[in-house]
Amino acid sequence: AQSVTQPDIHITVSEGASLELRCNYSYGATPYLFWYVQSPGQGLQLLLKYFSGDTLVQGIKGFEAEFKRSQSSFNLRKPSVHWSDAAEYFCASSYHSASKIIFGSGTRLSIRP
Amino acid sequence: GAVVSQHPSRVICKSGTSVKIECRSLDFQATTMFWYRQFPKQSLMLMATSNEGSKATYEQGVEKDKFLINHASLTLSTLTVTSAHPEDSSFYICSASPGLAGGVGDTQYFGPGTRLTVL
C-alpha cells in the first residue's frame, strides 16, 4: 500500500542555518511527490511537486527537494532558514493516475533565534 | 492565484446538532473537491472526493450518512456533520482542483480550514 513516512516529528534549527526535512515513500511505481507547508490554524500551501524529469525540484520560498529513487526519498532542503519558516511541513504522494493525495505525518519546524 | 475559502473558520456546537461547512473556489471552477480531516498534531486524512453534480466517493471507514457532502456547483461544496458528537471535533480542510478528474497533474488548492468543536 502507498505510504509516506516523515521520521522527524519536530526539528529545531537556528535562524540562518541550513535545513533538511526527510521524507520516504513506499510505492511500487513512479510516485508523484509533494511538499506542503501549514502555518498554525491555516490551510496548506504547496511548496513544490515532482512528477518526472529533473530530480532536483525548485519550489517557492527558497525551498528545493531532491527525488532519489534508490533511497525512496524526497527530502526537502533550504540553505538558510528564516524565522517565518516555522510551521508544519507535510510530504505527500499520489498515485500515477488517481487524484488522492496521501500525506505523511508531518514535521514541525521551530526556528531558534 | 487560485483561492479557496471555507466558512465558517471556527464553529462550536452542542452534541447532537448538525453543522454545515462551506468550501468555495473563488476564482476558478472546481470540478473536483476534496474533504480532509486533521486531528491535533496529526496529518490530514482524506474523507471523501466529490465531483460536481455527482455523489461523493468516501474513503474506507468514513460514514457517509454522518458526513454529508454536496457539490452542487462548480464553485461550492458543503460538508454537513450530522448529529455531531465530541469525537467529531477536528480541523476540517477542503481542497479544490480545476481538473476534469482531479488528476494528479492538477494542483489541489487548499482552503484555510474549519475548526469544529462539539461540546
Side-chain angles (χ1 to χ4, degrees), chain B residues 1-76:
Chain B
V3 178
V4 175
S5 70
Q6 282 185 241
H7 178 79
S9 59
R10 187 182 298 266
V11 57
I12 301 173
C13 69
K14 293 182 179 179
S15 184
T17 61
S18 293
V19 175
K20 180 184 285 188
I21 302 170
E22 292 184 349
C23 176
R24 293 182 185 272
S25 57
L26 299 185
D27 49 5
F28 67 98
Q29 293 187 324
T31 306
T32 308
M33 285 185 168
F34 306 84
W35 287 95
Y36 295 84
R37 183 175 183 177
Q38 185 180 29
F39 290 105
K41 298 185 180 181
Q42 293 190 29
S43 187
L44 282 76
M45 300 297 294
L46 180 66
M47 298 175 67
T49 302
S50 73
N51 290 291
E52 186 264 339
S54 61
K55 290 184 178 180
T57 301
Y58 290 81
E59 294 299 300
Q60 191 173 10
V62 177
E63 299 176 61
K64 60 180 66 177
D65 293 331
K66 181 167 189 61
F67 298 100
L68 301 179
I69 291 172
N70 183 280
H71 192 166
S73 78
L74 285 172
T75 59
L76 173 64

Side-chain angles (χ1 to χ4, degrees), chain A residues 38-96:
Chain A
Q38 183 182 34
S39 297
Q42 303 289 316
L44 274 71
Q45 181 180 25
L46 179 68
L47 288 176
L48 48 79
K49 59 186 178 183
Y50 171 78
F51 289 165
S52 64
D54 193 345
T55 56
L56 184 62
V57 181
Q58 300 298 320
I60 62 171
K61 302 184 179 186
F63 286 94
E64 66 177 26
E66 186 171 12
F67 170 63
K68 292 185 178 180
R69 185 187 300 276
S70 61
Q71 298 176 20
S72 297
S73 68
F74 188 58
N75 295 348
L76 181 72
R77 299 194 295 250
K78 186 170 185 177
S80 177
V81 298
H82 186 262
W83 64 266
S84 60
D85 292 326
E88 188 86 20
Y89 290 80
F90 292 97
C91 181
S93 74
S94 184
Y95 288 108
H96 175 70

Side-chain angles (χ1 to χ4, degrees), chain B residues 62-119:
Chain B
V62 177
E63 299 176 61
K64 60 180 66 177
D65 293 331
K66 181 167 189 61
F67 298 100
L68 301 179
I69 291 172
N70 183 280
H71 192 166
S73 78
L74 285 172
T75 59
L76 173 64
S77 176
T78 60
L79 167 68
T80 301
V81 183
T82 62
S83 187
H85 287 94
E87 57 266 29
D88 299 323
S89 298
S90 190
F91 194 52
Y92 292 88
I93 301 176
C94 74
S95 71
S97 172
L100 282 174
V104 171
D106 300 315
T107 299
Q108 286 189 30
Y109 300 95
F110 285 82
T114 296
R115 173 80 57 195
L116 170 63
T117 302
V118 184
L119 303 176

